[in-house]
């Protein structure tokens, strides 16, 4: 590419272009807004130094030999970094000056002697060669700011839009070629990349995750919803959203008298809690890059956390009045949000047995809510631990909170952790715990991981089945009444011949837990005698229909299997 006439460019343009070149090369770096002076920092990249410290870039427009005033400005930027209180928390290992001019040996010696040598801090001057190298690596930045790049990108979007609306489309290969030509122009956007995706069937509710994804715009391509097209907007660097942010403004019309919806909206406005508006209640304007801005009418707005984990895991403990640890779990900070009234923090027990939401009012008050989570699919041992924590999380016990990696016994006492639960919630908790305790007894006798089923679909028959299985595993035997029609059904090998007098038949003991079928040994049925009424071939042998002697059958874990359990 041609050399850039840095000396003829306006100073602000030089610094903007050079800074974005640095941002593209170091995509995690961010620019500092100089509202009250940058304090010696134009660009900050935390944790990027070889030793794990921070790297600071100071970008200057100087494209020619330095004047005394310019040297004074560089010196001031360097000393300000060390003296500005807002940077006290930084661990700066490298301070880099970036200019579109290569320093002479004499100037570099002056730069190297700005301050006495400081242990742990390295000063580096990136001059014209470095800047030109970045310009060659990211020509789209130069074209976008100094050429016609922005206009060309908008033209490319219009071209693609026209192709998607063609009724009399060219051949598939011709369309693909034109589309690829437009895509090459879109790839020159220095701030964002655009991925296109098409598919058949209804529009997906969620698309796959992409690193740097900030927005997806999707639509169905016909009234029958048999195909769709999506555009994914991906930030090329952390600074993209500052230089060209995506903004949404509008209003939500809440029907009068809908107290639940009003409360949800107040929670969002007051504390930033997640919120979903009713269908068709939102109208506003989306301002987005790449020609994707749009007026929105009759829309629904959903606001939710962008991350699944915020900060290090925490350890929550319940202590007795004597200071003994009664229960301990690990909790994940799922969301930290704020609004006009204060701050909201949402914790979720690692295996989703419960959530804990704190709302800290700006005036100093605290509102805490503990709720049972959706733990279907989690291991029963993990769920049991969380439920037992909840069962003892009440006065006069108290809580203790610490980072999960800290030694046990350390942490901050939290007397608000243990609360008096309403009677209905306490009863519901005990019912759930009783069911999970049965499944844990089954888990103790199998190497297969027993998963907690969806309790909303569990019936009394399921609970009775688990109690029966656990009873057998514990050594109990049952007198099973013969059915009203006097018959008993069992699948056996086709060649089985029933003896005369008393006998025992065996079959696998299987616990049904949700979609799982867990083998637990062998069950024995003791008969005083029986006659074969019918034998029908089956997949594993034959289904025998027996007419037992007596009015009951003794059922127990078979002796040969009981020791192995």
């Amino acid at each position: 590419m041609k050399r850039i006439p840095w000396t003829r460019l306006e100073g602000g343009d030089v610094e903007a272009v050079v800074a974005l070149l640095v941002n593209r090369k170091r995509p995690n770096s961010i620019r500092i807004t100089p509202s009250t002076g940058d304090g010696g920092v134009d660009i900050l990249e935390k944790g990027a130094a070889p030793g794990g410290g921070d790297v600071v870039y100071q970008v200057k427009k100087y494209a020619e030999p330095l004047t005394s005033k310019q040297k004074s400005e560089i010196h001031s930027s360097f000393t300000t970094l060390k003296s500005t209180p807002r940077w006290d928390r930084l661990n700066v290992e490298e301070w880099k000056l970036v200019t579109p001019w290569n320093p002479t040996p004499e100037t570099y010696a002056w730069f190297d002697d700005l301050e006495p040598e400081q242990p742990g801090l390295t000063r580096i001057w990136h001059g014209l060669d470095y800047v030109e190298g970045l310009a060659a690596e990211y020509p789209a930045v130069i074209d976008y700011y100094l050429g016609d790049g922005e206009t060309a990108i908008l033209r490319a979007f219009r071209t693609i839009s026209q192709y998607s609306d063609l009724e009399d489309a060219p051949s598939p290969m011709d369309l693909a070629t034109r589309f690829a030509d437009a895509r090459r122009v879109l790839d020159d956007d220095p701030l964002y990349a655009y991925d296109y995706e098409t598919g058949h069937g209804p529009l997906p509710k969620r698309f796959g995750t992409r690193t740097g994804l900030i927005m997806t715009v999707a639509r169905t391509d016909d009234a029958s919803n048999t195909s769709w097209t999506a555009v994914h907007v991906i930030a090329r660097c952390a600074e993209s959203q500052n230089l060209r942010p995506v903004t949404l403004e509008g209003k939500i019309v809440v029907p009068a008298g809908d107290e639940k919806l009003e409360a949800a909206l107040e929670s969002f406005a007051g504390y930033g809690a997640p919120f979903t508006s009713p269908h068709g209640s939102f109208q506003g304007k989306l301002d987005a890059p790449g020609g994707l801005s749009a007026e929105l009418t009759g829309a629904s707005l959903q606001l939710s956390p962008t991350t699944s984990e915020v900060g290090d895991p925490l350890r929550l403990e319940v202590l007795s009045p004597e200071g003994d640890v009664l229960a301990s779990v690990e909790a994940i900070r799922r969301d930290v949000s704020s609004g006009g009234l204060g701050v909201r923090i949402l914790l979720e027990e690692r295996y989703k047995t419960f959530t804990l939401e704190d709302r800290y009012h700006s005036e100093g008050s605290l509102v805490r809510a503990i709720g049972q989570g959706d733990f279907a699919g989690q291991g029963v041992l993990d769920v049991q631990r969380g439920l037992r924590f909840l069962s003892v999380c009440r006065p006069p016990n108290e809580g203790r909170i610490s980072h999960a990696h800290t030694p046990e016994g350390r942490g901050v006492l939290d007397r608000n952790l243990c609360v008096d639960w309403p009677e209905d919630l306490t009863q519901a908790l005990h019912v759930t715990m009783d069911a999970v305790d049965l499944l844990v007894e089954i888990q103790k006798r199998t190497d297969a991981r027993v998963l907690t089923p969806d309790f909303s679909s569990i019936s009394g028959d399921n609970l009775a089945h688990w109690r029966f299985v656990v009873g057998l595993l514990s050594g109990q035997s049952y007198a099973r009444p013969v059915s009203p029609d006097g018959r008993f059904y069992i699948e056996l090998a086709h060649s089985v011949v029933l003896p005369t007098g008393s006998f025992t038949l065996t079959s696998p003991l299987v616990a049904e837990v949700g979609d799982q079928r867990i083998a637990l040994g062998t069950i024995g049925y003791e008969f005083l005698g029986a006659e074969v009424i019918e034998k029908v071939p089956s997949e594993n042998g034959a289904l025998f229909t027996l007419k037992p002697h007596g009015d009951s059958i003794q059922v127990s874990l078979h002796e040969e299997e009981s020791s192995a359990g």
Side-chain angles (χ1 to χ4, degrees), residues 144-160:
Y144 188 83
Y145 275 98
L146 306 180
D148 192 34
E150 184 174 9
T151 302
I153 289 168
L154 292 177
R155 283 201 304 269
F157 265 103
R158 284 195 294 271
T159 300
I160 287 181

Side-chain angles (χ1 to χ4, degrees), residues 381-440:
L381 287 172
D382 300 319
V383 171
Q384 184 191 54
R385 188 180 305 113
L387 295 179
R388 292 209 178 282
F389 179 92
L390 288 180
S391 70
V392 297
C393 190
R394 59 195 64 224
N397 302 328
E398 60 184 11
R400 183 167 62 194
I401 300 180
S402 63
H403 289 287
H405 59 265
T406 58
E408 294 185 2
R410 299 182 61 181
V412 178
L413 290 179
D414 185 347
R415 292 179 173 82
N416 295 316
L417 183 60
C418 297
V419 297
D420 286 316
W421 288 50
E423 183 60 32
D424 58 337
L425 293 182
T426 300
Q427 182 63 29
L429 174 62
H430 286 314
V431 170
T432 304
M433 286 183 61
D434 290 343
V436 171
D437 288 346
L438 291 172
L439 298 179
V440 168

Side-chain angles (χ1 to χ4, degrees), residues 111-332:
F111 173 75
D112 202 38
D113 292 335
L114 277 177
E115 292 286 333
E117 185 175 346
Q118 301 175 47
L121 178 61
T122 301
R123 291 192 296 273
I124 300 172
W125 190 328
H126 287 316
L128 179 62
D129 293 341
Y130 175 81
V131 174
E132 292 282 5
L134 294 182
E137 187 173 355
Y138 304 105
V141 174
I142 305 301
D143 184 48
Y144 188 83
Y145 275 98
L146 306 180
D148 192 34
E150 184 174 9
T151 302
I153 289 168
L154 292 177
R155 283 201 304 269
F157 265 103
R158 284 195 294 271
T159 300
I160 287 181
S161 298
Q162 291 171 357
Y163 292 165
S164 65
D165 291 333
L166 283 177
E167 294 182 2
D168 184 17
S171 69
M173 286 304 299
D174 185 30
L175 180 60
T177 299
R178 297 187 193 180
F179 191 87
D181 290 341
R183 273 294 305 274
R184 276 192 287 272
V185 179
L186 292 178
D187 287 341
D188 287 338
D189 188 329
L191 301 179
Y192 294 100
Y194 303 89
D195 277 356
Y196 290 82
E197 186 178 359
T198 61
H200 296 285
L203 188 67
K205 292 183 177 179
R206 294 184 181 275
F207 294 89
T209 59
R210 291 166 169 79
T211 301
L213 178 68
I214 65 162
M215 183 178 73
T216 295
V217 177
R219 73 171 192 181
T220 54
D221 293 330
D222 52 41
S224 59
N225 293 339
T226 58
S227 63
W228 51 266
T229 302
V231 180
H232 307 290
V233 183
I234 300 167
R236 294 189 184 274
C237 60
E239 191 61 23
S240 297
Q241 296 182 69
N242 293 326
L243 295 175
R244 179 59 178 92
V246 175
T247 61
L248 178 68
E249 61 179 26
K251 64 180 180 180
I252 299 171
V253 180
V254 179
D258 192 333
E259 295 181 358
K260 185 176 180 180
L261 180 59
E262 290 178 0
L265 188 56
E266 289 173 358
S267 293
F268 165 71
Y271 296 94
F275 172 79
T276 300
S277 71
H279 179 72
S281 63
F282 178 80
Q283 58 184 19
K285 180 179 181 181
L286 171 68
D287 183 18
L292 296 176
S293 298
E295 296 286 341
L296 303 176
T297 57
S300 176
L301 181 66
Q302 179 177 328
L303 304 164
S304 58
T306 58
T307 58
S308 60
E309 187 170 336
V310 182
D312 296 330
L314 301 176
R315 180 167 58 233
L316 307 183
E317 298 172 299
V318 175
L319 308 179
S320 70
E322 295 74 30
D324 298 324
V325 178
L326 301 178
S328 175
V329 295
E330 193 170 296
I332 308 299

Side-chain angles (χ1 to χ4, degrees), residues 477 502-505 524-529 552-556 559:
S477 61
S502 300
F503 61 90
T504 299
L505 295 178
Y525 299 92
E526 298 180 24
F527 292 82
L528 298 177
S552 66
I553 302 166
Q554 199 71 17
V555 183
S556 61
E559 289 291 334

Side-chain angles (χ1 to χ4, degrees), residues 15 31-44 56-60 73-74 76-78 80-82 84 86-87 90 95:
E15 293 187 355
R31 293 191 69 179
I32 305 301
T33 303
S35 56
T36 58
D38 55 38
V41 179
D42 276 337
I43 297 174
L44 173 63
V56 164
Y57 296 82
Q58 185 71 37
V59 179
K60 296 295 185 183
E73 291 174 350
I74 293 174
S76 175
S77 294
F78 182 72
T80 301
L81 169 67
K82 300 184 299 178
T84 301
R86 57 184 156 149
W87 303 128
L90 293 183
W95 188 82

Side-chain angles (χ1 to χ4, degrees), residues 465-524:
H465 167 66
W466 298 340
R467 289 193 185 96
F468 172 72
V469 171
V470 170
L472 291 175
L473 295 173
S474 302
Q476 297 183 36
S477 61
Y478 298 91
R480 179 170 175 177
V482 176
S483 62
D485 63 0
R487 298 187 176 191
F488 180 82
Y489 305 89
I490 188 170
E491 190 173 36
L492 301 168
H494 194 279
S495 59
V496 168
V497 177
L498 298 184
T500 59
S502 300
F503 61 90
T504 299
L505 295 178
T506 62
S507 67
L509 174 60
V510 177
E512 297 184 0
V513 182
D515 295 331
Q516 292 181 285
R517 291 177 54 82
I518 302 166
L520 296 165
T522 303
I523 190 172

